[in-house]
Amino acid sequence: MSTNEDTSVHRTDIPSILPVLAINNGVLFPNMLMPLAISGEAWVKMVDDAALSNKMLAVFWRKEPGEGFDLSQMGTIGAAAQIIRMLRLPDGTVQVLLQGLARVQIITMVSETPYPVAQLTVLSEPDVIPLEVEAIARNVLTLFQQVVQANPNMPDELVTVAINTPTPGVLADLIAANLNLKPEQQQIVRDTVDVGERLRVITGFLEREREILSIGQKAQEEMSRTQREYILRQQLEAIRRELGETDEQGAEIAELRRRLEEAQLPDEPRIEAERELQRLERMPPGAAESGMVRTYLDWLIGLPWNKSTPDNFDLAQAQTVLDADHYDLERVKERIIEYLAVRKLQHEQGEDRLRGPIICFVGPPGVGKTSLGQSIARALGRQFVRVALGGVRDEAEIRGFRRTYIGAVPGRIIQNISRVGSNNPVLMLDEVDKLSVGFQGDPAAALLELLDPEQNRAFVDRYLDVPFDLSRVLFICTANRVDTIPPALLDRMEVLELAGYTEAEKLVISQRYLVPRQRTEQGLAERGPEISVAALRRLISAYTREAGVRNLERQIGAIFRKMATRLAQGQAIPEVIDAPDLDDLLDPPRFRQETLLDQDEVGVATGMVWTPVGGDILFIETSVVPGKGQLILTGQLGEVMRESAQAAMTYARSRAALLGIASDFSQSNDIHIHVPAGAVPKEGPSAGITIASALISALTGRPCRKHVAMTGEITLRGRVLPIGGVKEKVLAAQRAGVQMVLLPRDNEPDLREVPAEARDQLEIVLVNHMDEVLPHVLHAETVTAHVT
């Protein structure tokens, strides 16, 4: 089709009654030319009659192909056309060249024989074009230029014709006639009478055509590049054959197939591996996806699906290994031996999978949680794997990343199992209490399946996408505290608490493990000095304050580095390093150990506290001064400790008559309770009876015995409730020189954890009520009558 601006017939000259020509293969637009081949007796007669009269007829598109005339199958709007040229062929067919004049619409059919004739109405174009329509027309023209430039089948002259079109409506018809549109799409344009709406429809078609051409151009470029690479690779292959070289891809596939046969994978991963191997064979050597498939096959085939290390069930040897690696920790060692005994019996019964809860070591830093896992692996004869979970906030770190992502890899669990080459290692999940929740998911939720013996038999890593049996893996978790572990995860674990070491235990650990190891690490294995017991004790008490021995080992290492430096400089070193030598070798002592008071004092009671680095003693001071009945609490006391002070106050008021205190003492006096070391926050209920003892001492004027230390929670009625950290508190009292320790009677079972040496040196008194506490703490006589 093309345009012809020199229309010989004006729209007003179009008769209202015209014969109707139905065509199947196109849509005629006003001002456009269309060649047609007319066949069929009725249609040929129509053209003959029109040629002999006014040379005009109406052309409508027939929706369904056919020969007859059915008004329901005609398009809504057609075009009045003028016969420009006509040629009769020998076979009876007539070729005509039609020019569209205007849009017309059928009002009613006049007759249908010998050919259809209809009464029509002419749909005219507006004379005034709004600015909005002009703007849309300019945008359409720009899009059309881009399409013509991108389409090699469209001549550049079309752009010139489009630029010279007289009106926006003609521009829309021109573009619709020359775009690669289906007849039904062209009919949509012809049915759109409003010029602005017609341009919007054309805009949609142009944008779609531009996108199709862009995609086609990219596909053509990719195809050309692929064809070029194929030809080059064929040439390279021919050169290699000429030189006698082998096919690298074929050799690689053969190697992968050999490894797959030797790996003896289970059915599901084997089927997946074979499928991927077949894909790799069909891929061109340079295909981008071939590298991803090779990497996946390497992971899949390299996993130890059926490789495991034999377990060593010699319980005596396991006990020897644990004792050699760790001092004390008898309860933990006993639980590990129990576990090994159960595994031995299960193995004898043919049960290869692990059952029972997951062990979780909970304790402060430096007490040996990770090294315990290594000892268990050594005792069992298994590989040891440590997976650090601190700060992990992406679930994919556990479950792996999908292969669709660039650079995807399996999760940490599968990675480490592949690295050690065994499907039954001791796998330590370190710092499970420090998992974080991010927008990528909850890693703790992924651990639920991992640590469930009933589910981890078919653990599916997202990268592998096939199940891997983790039921033979011995999982061990570690944490510093249990309150931050999700409850559902904690429910799957058996918590074994590792308390901090006492000074006596640290001394033995230093002599057996830390000093020999640091002497060797600093190059002094054969000529290094010894560190005396007194020096070690001073290191423990004055230079470190921790539950574990990590900082203690650092200080020992610093001493040996000083000795190594002197040796390297040709200086002499002592054979034994004693306590006074530490002042020259190390910085000044960082910590001061609490000691007992010089004498018994009124209003000052000795308590015992637990800290993350061990036990300690503290002094609670109480002063009663004239005032208005205020209770003043200082020393950075926490909420629970403040409530203990209020409970002690209420107990003292309830026992005022029996204790010889004026009943109105709380109205005419201010009571100030202070706990020294004011810069250190303090919290917990265990100072309740200590606060009550100091308060009653201040109110009665009876001094507190300095050699008596106590701990316990107090109620309003004076009952003494149990507390925690008995072992650490009792040992702290022993170090400070305390002679008598008062403990809640309900804590009597906890005394089994206290070393026998401490129990023999101390007089331990178990109490149920404050009435039992006061006779042991307060002197019978009154030094000064504070309250009358």
Side-chain angles (χ1 to χ4, degrees):
M1 295 183 183
S2 61
T3 182
N4 186 354
E5 299 179 18
D6 298 330
T7 305
S8 59
V9 178
H10 197 271
R11 288 178 175 81
T12 57
D13 299 332
I14 299 174
S16 60
I17 297 177
L18 286 174
V20 178
L21 175 64
I23 60 176
N24 297 325
N25 54 356
V27 173
L28 177 63
F29 287 93
N31 302 295
M32 303 298 138
L33 298 176
M34 173 185 283
L36 285 177
I38 308 297
S39 61
E41 182 179 352
W43 303 114
V44 171
K45 179 174 176 52
M46 173 194 292
V47 174
D48 287 340
D49 293 348
L52 294 174
S53 60
N54 55 13
K55 297 184 178 181
M56 298 176 61
L57 47 80
V59 181
F60 281 79
W61 173 62
R62 184 191 290 118
K63 299 177 183 178
E64 295 293 336
E67 296 296 334
F69 179 83
D70 184 356
L71 185 60
S72 63
Q73 292 296 322
M74 297 299 107
T76 305
I77 294 176
Q82 184 176 18
I83 300 174
I84 302 299
R85 190 179 299 115
M86 176 176 172
L87 176 63
R88 190 181 301 275
L89 299 178
D91 60 356
T93 303
V94 176
Q95 287 189 346
V96 294
L97 179 63
L98 301 178
Q99 179 181 7
L101 301 176
R103 283 175 169 76
V104 294
Q105 189 171 7
I106 297 175
I107 298 176
T108 182
M109 294 300 299
V110 177
S111 66
E112 294 188 7
T113 57
Y115 46 79
V117 178
Q119 182 178 358
L120 308 167
T121 180
V122 179
L123 304 175
S124 60
E125 299 282 341
D127 295 330
V128 179
I129 305 301
L131 291 178
E132 180 184 0
V133 175
E134 288 284 355
I136 299 174
R138 291 186 182 183
N139 181 54
V140 167
L141 183 59
T142 302
L143 286 173
F144 185 60
Q145 289 175 329
Q146 296 173 359
V147 170
V148 172
Q149 291 173 359
N151 193 340
N153 298 321
M154 298 179 71
D156 295 338
E157 291 77 5
L158 277 176
V159 176
T160 304
V161 175
I163 293 174
N164 294 321
T165 51
T167 62
V170 176
L171 174 64
D173 292 343
L174 170 67
I175 295 174
N178 289 277
L179 269 184
N180 187 23
L181 300 179
K182 298 178 182 178
E184 54 266 27
Q185 294 173 323
Q186 291 180 325
Q187 183 63 43
I188 292 175
V189 177
R190 193 166 67 177
D191 286 345
T192 307
V193 179
D194 182 76
V195 176
E197 186 63 29
R198 193 187 314 164
L199 288 170
R200 293 186 182 93
V201 172
I202 287 296
T203 300
F205 288 139
L206 283 171
E207 289 179 344
R208 180 176 179 276
E209 183 69 15
R210 183 178 61 176
E211 185 175 355
I212 292 174
L213 290 172
S214 175
I215 295 173
Q217 185 175 5
K218 291 180 181 178
Q220 183 67 28
E221 291 174 356
E222 180 67 23
M223 186 179 300
S224 300
R225 186 177 64 85
T226 304
Q227 290 175 347
R228 185 172 63 254
E229 289 181 356
Y230 175 76
I231 294 172
L232 291 174
R233 292 188 182 281
Q234 291 297 318
Q235 294 173 348
L236 181 61
E237 181 65 24
I239 294 172
R240 284 176 176 166
R241 284 197 300 267
E242 188 71 22
L243 295 176
E245 297 180 357
T246 58
D247 177 14
E248 291 185 3
Q249 184 180 11
E252 185 178 11
I253 292 175
E255 174 65 17
L256 288 172
R257 192 172 296 282
R258 182 190 63 80
R259 289 176 54 197
L260 177 59
E261 293 174 356
E262 293 178 355
Q264 297 180 353
L265 273 60
D267 291 341
E268 192 167 346
R270 178 180 53 80
I271 293 172
E272 183 66 21
E274 290 176 349
R275 182 186 299 116
E276 292 297 319
L277 197 55
Q278 291 172 2
R279 285 184 60 210
L280 185 61
E281 288 177 330
R282 294 192 297 267
M283 287 182 187
E289 195 177 356
S290 62
M292 298 172 58
V293 175
R294 288 191 190 95
T295 304
Y296 175 74
L297 287 172
D298 281 336
W299 278 109
L300 199 62
I301 298 174
L303 281 174
W305 298 91
N306 297 304
K307 297 178 183 178
S308 58
T309 54
D311 285 337
N312 178 17
F313 295 116
D314 189 342
L315 302 185
Q317 180 186 354
Q319 186 70 54
T320 302
V321 170
L322 293 173
D323 290 339
D325 291 347
H326 294 86
Y327 175 73
D328 198 31
L329 302 179
E330 297 301 329
R331 180 168 170 266
V332 176
K333 294 178 183 177
E334 180 183 358
R335 179 63 184 87
I336 295 171
I337 295 299
E338 290 174 356
Y339 170 81
L340 297 179
V342 172
R343 285 290 298 124
K344 179 179 180 180
L345 296 179
Q346 289 177 343
H347 180 73
E348 292 173 354
Q349 297 171 5
E351 177 61 51
D352 195 26
R353 289 180 170 84
L354 303 180
R355 296 187 181 276
I358 307 299
I359 297 176
C360 180
F361 296 137
V362 176
V367 297
K369 300 185 293 296
T370 303
S371 60
L372 262 176
Q374 295 172 334
S375 298
I376 294 172
R378 194 156 70 91
L380 272 172
R382 293 190 179 191
Q383 299 286 343
F384 176 76
V385 177
R386 174 181 172 271
V387 179
L389 299 179
V392 172
R393 61 177 63 248
D394 190 350
E395 183 187 7
E397 294 282 345
I398 307 297
R399 291 187 178 273
F401 300 83
R402 298 192 184 279
R403 275 183 287 162
T404 53
Y405 300 147
I406 296 175
V409 291
R412 295 191 182 187
I413 307 302
I414 295 298
Q415 285 186 44
N416 283 279
I417 288 178
S418 177
R419 179 171 56 83
V420 299
S422 171
N423 63 5
N424 65 337
V426 175
L427 198 152
M428 173 164 283
L429 301 173
D430 212 3
E431 310 290 357
V432 295
D433 57 328
K434 295 178 178 60
L435 287 170
S436 303
V437 178
F439 67 88
Q440 304 95 335
D442 185 1
L447 291 180
L448 295 179
E449 177 188 358
L450 190 70
L451 299 181
D452 192 333
E454 299 300 325
Q455 299 182 42
N456 61 17
R457 297 182 182 182
F459 176 76
V460 178
D461 186 280
R462 290 199 182 105
Y463 180 82
L464 299 179
D465 206 24
V466 290
F468 186 88
D469 187 359
L470 294 176
S471 62
R472 296 179 179 86
V473 178
L474 173 56
F475 290 100
I476 298 177
C477 302
T478 71
N480 296 130
R481 47 194 296 186
V482 297
D483 54 338
T484 57
I485 301 177
L489 187 59
L490 185 62
D491 185 60
R492 285 166 164 77
M493 303 177 184
E494 177 183 351
V495 176
L496 295 181
E497 293 190 3
L498 279 70
Y501 295 114
T502 65
E503 286 195 5
E505 292 169 343
K506 290 181 180 179
L507 179 62
V508 176
I509 292 171
S510 301
Q511 292 174 320
R512 291 188 184 179
Y513 306 103
L514 305 184
V515 171
R517 183 163 62 209
Q518 284 300 316
R519 185 187 292 116
T520 302
E521 289 185 1
Q522 309 308 329
L524 300 172
E526 303 296 333
R527 46 187 174 173
E530 296 292 335
I531 300 180
S532 68
V533 173
L536 289 174
R537 290 187 184 277
R538 191 175 180 214
L539 277 177
I540 294 169
S541 61
Y543 286 88
T544 63
R545 179 161 294 182
E546 56 179 341
V549 294
R550 194 168 288 158
N551 288 325
L552 176 59
E553 185 171 8
R554 291 194 187 102
Q555 296 294 337
I556 295 172
I559 292 173
F560 283 126
R561 284 195 298 273
K562 297 286 187 182
M563 297 296 102
T565 303
R566 293 183 182 180
L567 271 179
Q569 294 174 347
Q571 302 177 16
I573 60 173
E575 295 183 359
V576 178
I577 297 174
D578 210 347
D581 300 329
L582 299 182
D583 293 330
D584 296 331
L585 296 174
L586 302 175
D587 295 330
R590 296 177 54 195
F591 303 103
R592 182 183 65 85
Q593 185 172 334
E594 290 286 357
T595 57
L596 297 180
L597 301 173
D598 295 333
Q599 61 183 4
D600 298 344
E601 294 187 19
V602 174
V604 182
T606 305
M608 299 181 293
V609 295
W610 178 92
T611 68
V613 298
D616 204 349
I617 64 171
L618 84 165
F619 303 104
I620 296 180
E621 302 175 347
T622 303
S623 180
V624 180
V625 295
K628 300 181 180 180
Q630 291 185 348
L631 177 61
I632 305 169
L633 304 173
T634 56
Q636 281 209 55
L637 307 186
E639 190 65 30
V640 176
M641 203 165 179
R642 288 176 172 271
E643 292 175 355
S644 296
Q646 294 171 353
M649 182 71 175
T650 301
Y651 167 76
R653 292 177 61 186
S654 67
R655 296 282 177 152
L658 296 177
L659 296 173
I661 306 172
S663 59
D664 61 346
F665 75 89
S666 61
Q667 300 176 6
S668 57
N669 297 280
D670 288 341
I671 298 176
H672 188 166
I673 299 176
H674 176 70
V675 183
V680 180
K682 307 167 188 70
E683 181 60 298
S686 62
I689 64 173
T690 312
I691 296 174
S693 299
L695 175 63
I696 294 172
S697 171
L699 291 171
T700 60
R702 297 164 60 185
C704 293
R705 294 185 173 91
K706 66 176 184 178
H707 290 290
V708 178
M710 68 207 81
T711 180
E713 181 180 356
I714 188 174
T715 69
L716 295 178
R717 293 175 175 81
R719 288 186 56 210
V720 180
L721 302 182
I723 43 78
V726 171
K727 176 183 175 182
E728 290 81 2
K729 292 178 179 179
V730 172
L731 291 176
Q734 179 196 16
R735 289 196 303 269
V738 170
Q739 297 176 357
M740 178 183 292
V741 170
L742 304 183
L743 296 174
R745 184 168 296 278
D746 290 340
N747 284 117
E748 184 175 5
D750 298 320
L751 290 175
R752 291 178 295 182
E753 299 181 4
V754 178
E757 177 187 359
R759 294 200 303 266
D760 294 340
Q761 290 184 6
L762 295 172
E763 181 182 356
I764 299 177
V765 179
L766 302 175
V767 295
N768 281 323
H769 198 277
M770 273 301 297
D771 293 345
E772 304 173 39
V773 174
L774 296 177
H776 293 288
V777 178
L778 302 181
H779 283 277
E781 69 279 4
T782 300
V783 176
T784 302
H786 285 71
V787 179
T788 58

